[in-house]
Every structure is written in structure tokens, then in C-alpha cells.
């Protein structure tokens, strides 16, 4: 059996674009992904700057405690997060999907490793009278822009592809994200519309694939720098 359709056809894509509220699902997914990405990137940069720039009591203990969150299985957090979203009245809203994911420990770790630039550079800026926010935005940020871009792309891709947590929170079809909408065409009892499902899956994967294709160099360099600086 030929794995490729012959002759090639775009009928499934036409069906999706005409009979499927694709733009609504794209907007839902993009809105959640962009808010989560912006929040994670901002909190990662600010928290990492605090760990690098300031000396405060128990700094290493706090940082190591944050690293321990990497080892907490996501399944352990699902029930308390769901109950919290329920009490806040955020079920079946994009905010219920976004709220538990606005901060990322891995992002803080990577940004902290990237920000460990030579101390004389920071000391020179401080001696020139630079305030903390000036050190961050005028000295450090120009040096780590590629890393911030790389980590933001990873955040965006992860949020775009998120399935299980939105599945628990979102019920109304008008609020679904693309990964959830794809499930509508796949039936466990049979009768799955595989052609349309594959068309939706292809359209769903294109944005993160294109982003990664353009920014893979920055992403690889970020992880290499984090490993070297240890």
C-alpha cells in the first residue's frame, strides 16, 4: 500500500478551512501561548537577575529549592491546581489554563546560567552609578537577547502543544485549543476522519515547527552556554 496519496489532494485542507472554525481555535491557542510565554520569559529574566545581582540570605538555598521543583511529577500538581482554578471560578476559561503556568523553574535556571557574565562588567556599571534596572536592561539584556529569544520559543512551543491540562479545564467548544480540537476527529469507537484529522494536525504543527526552524541555533547555544557555565 502506498503511504503517500496519489494523486495529491488538498480537499481535506479545504474542508477544514471552510467547515471548521479553525481561526477561532488558532486564536485561542495563540492567545494562551503568547501570554504564558511572555509571563514565563519576564519572570525568568527578573528572577535570574535577582539571583545573579543581589546577595541575600539563603540565596543558594532558595535557588536549590527551586531546582527541586523539576523533580515533582506533573500528575501530583493536577488535582490541587484544578481545585484552585475551580475555587477561583476559572474553569472553562483561558485564564484557568494560563494561571498555573505563568512561572517556569527551568527558565529561571537557564537565564541564571546565561546571566553569569564577567563580574568586572557588572562592577564597572555599578561604579558608573547604574541602577539595578539599568544594569539589567542596558548591560545584561543586550548580551543575552539570543538566549531570551530561544527560551521564549521553547515556552511558546510547549504551551502551543499543551494537551492534558487544557483538556481538564476547557469544556465549551468555542474555547478549545488546536490540540483539543484535533481530538474531535479521532474516535476511539471508530469512524475517525483521518484525512481531516491529519490536515488539522499539520496546520497545528506548522507554527512551532517554523519558529524552531528559524531559532534552533539560538536554542542550542542557550543550552550549551548553560552547561558550560555550570
Amino acid at each position: 500500500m502506498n503511504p503517500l496519496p496519489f494523486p495529491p489532494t488538498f480537499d481535506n485542507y479545504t474542508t477544514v478551512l471552510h467547515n471548521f472554525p479553525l481561526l477561532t481555535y488558532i486564536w485561542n491557542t495563540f492567545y494562551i501561548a503568547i501570554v504564558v510565554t511572555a509571563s514565563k520569559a519576564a519572570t525568568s529574566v527578573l528572577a535570574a537577575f535577582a539571583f545573579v545581582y543581589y546577595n541575600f540570605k539563603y540565596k543558594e538555598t532558595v535557588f536549590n529549592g527551586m531546582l527541586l521543583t523539576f523533580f515533582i511529577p506533573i500528575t501530583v500538581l493536577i488535582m490541587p491546581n484544578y481545585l484552585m482554578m475551580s475555587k477561583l471560578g476559572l474553569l472553562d476559561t483561558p485564564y484557568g489554563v494560563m494561571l498555573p503556568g505563568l512561572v517556569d523553574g527551568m527558565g529561571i535556571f537557564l537565564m541564571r546560567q546565561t546571566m553569569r557574565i564577567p563580574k568586572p562588567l557588572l562592577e564597572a556599571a555599578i561604579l558608573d552609578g547604574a541602577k539595578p534596572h539599568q544594569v539589567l536592561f542596558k548591560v545584561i539584556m543586550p548580551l543575552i537577547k539570543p538566549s531570551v529569544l530561544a527560551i521564549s520559543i521553547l515556552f511558546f512551543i510547549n504551551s502551543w502543544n499543551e494537551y492534558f491540562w487544557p483538556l481538564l479545564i476547557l469544556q465549551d467548544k468555542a474555547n478549545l485549543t488546536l490540540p483539543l480540537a484535533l481530538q474531535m476527529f479521532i474516535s476511539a469507537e471508530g469512524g475517525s476522519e483521518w484525512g481531516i484529522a491529519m490536515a488539522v494536525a499539520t496546520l497545528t504543527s506548522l507554527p512551532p515547527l517554523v519558529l524552531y526552524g528559524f531559532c534552533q541555533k539560538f536554542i542550542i547555544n542557550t543550552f550549551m552556554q548553560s552547561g558550560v557555565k555550570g
Side-chain angles (χ1 to χ4, degrees), residues 165-181:
W165 179 245
L167 177 65
L168 295 177
I169 298 297
L170 302 177
Q171 301 297 328
D172 190 347
K173 285 187 177 181
N175 295 328
L176 296 183
T177 59
L178 278 171
L180 298 184

Side-chain angles (χ1 to χ4, degrees), residues 3-197:
L4 299 177
F6 187 84
T9 177
F10 290 95
D11 289 347
N12 290 317
Y13 293 97
T14 304
T15 301
V16 168
L17 294 174
H18 285 87
N19 303 326
F20 187 63
L22 188 65
L23 292 179
T24 298
Y25 297 137
I26 288 177
W27 167 249
N28 293 342
T29 311
F30 179 80
Y31 177 58
I32 291 173
I34 202 67
V35 171
V36 170
T37 298
S39 176
K40 283 185 175 181
T43 54
S44 295
V45 169
L46 293 175
F49 178 70
F51 283 117
V52 171
Y53 184 84
Y54 293 102
N55 289 317
F56 53 89
K57 193 175 183 180
Y58 304 124
K59 181 172 76 171
E60 291 301 320
T61 302
V62 173
F63 183 75
N64 291 332
M66 183 205 66
L67 294 182
L68 290 176
T69 62
F70 299 169
F71 303 99
I72 300 177
I74 188 64
T75 51
V76 175
L77 304 175
I78 287 175
M79 184 57 69
N81 282 340
Y82 183 86
L83 293 175
M84 182 182 297
M85 296 306 104
S86 178
K87 289 183 178 180
L88 293 175
L90 297 179
L91 295 181
D92 203 21
T93 68
Y95 308 105
V97 178
M98 293 185 287
L99 188 58
L102 296 181
V103 181
D104 188 271
M106 178 62 74
I108 296 173
F109 169 73
L110 291 175
M111 287 296 96
R112 188 239 194 185
Q113 300 298 93
T114 304
M115 282 186 187
R116 297 175 74 175
I117 61 179
K119 287 187 178 181
L121 189 61
L122 291 178
E123 293 171 353
I126 295 172
L127 289 175
D128 286 339
K131 302 296 183 183
H133 69 277
Q134 293 174 321
V135 173
L136 174 60
F137 291 108
K138 293 185 178 181
V139 178
I140 295 179
M141 284 300 293
L143 298 175
I144 66 169
K145 275 183 180 180
S147 297
V148 175
L149 174 62
I151 201 68
S152 298
I153 295 300
L154 290 178
F155 290 152
F156 184 88
I157 292 174
N158 290 337
S159 180
W160 183 277
N161 293 328
E162 184 69 35
Y163 175 78
F164 189 66
W165 179 245
L167 177 65
L168 295 177
I169 298 297
L170 302 177
Q171 301 297 328
D172 190 347
K173 285 187 177 181
N175 295 328
L176 296 183
T177 59
L178 278 171
L180 298 184
L182 175 61
Q183 189 65 30
M184 294 192 306
F185 299 100
I186 302 175
S187 171
E189 291 78 22
S192 300
E193 301 178 73
W194 290 110
I196 296 178

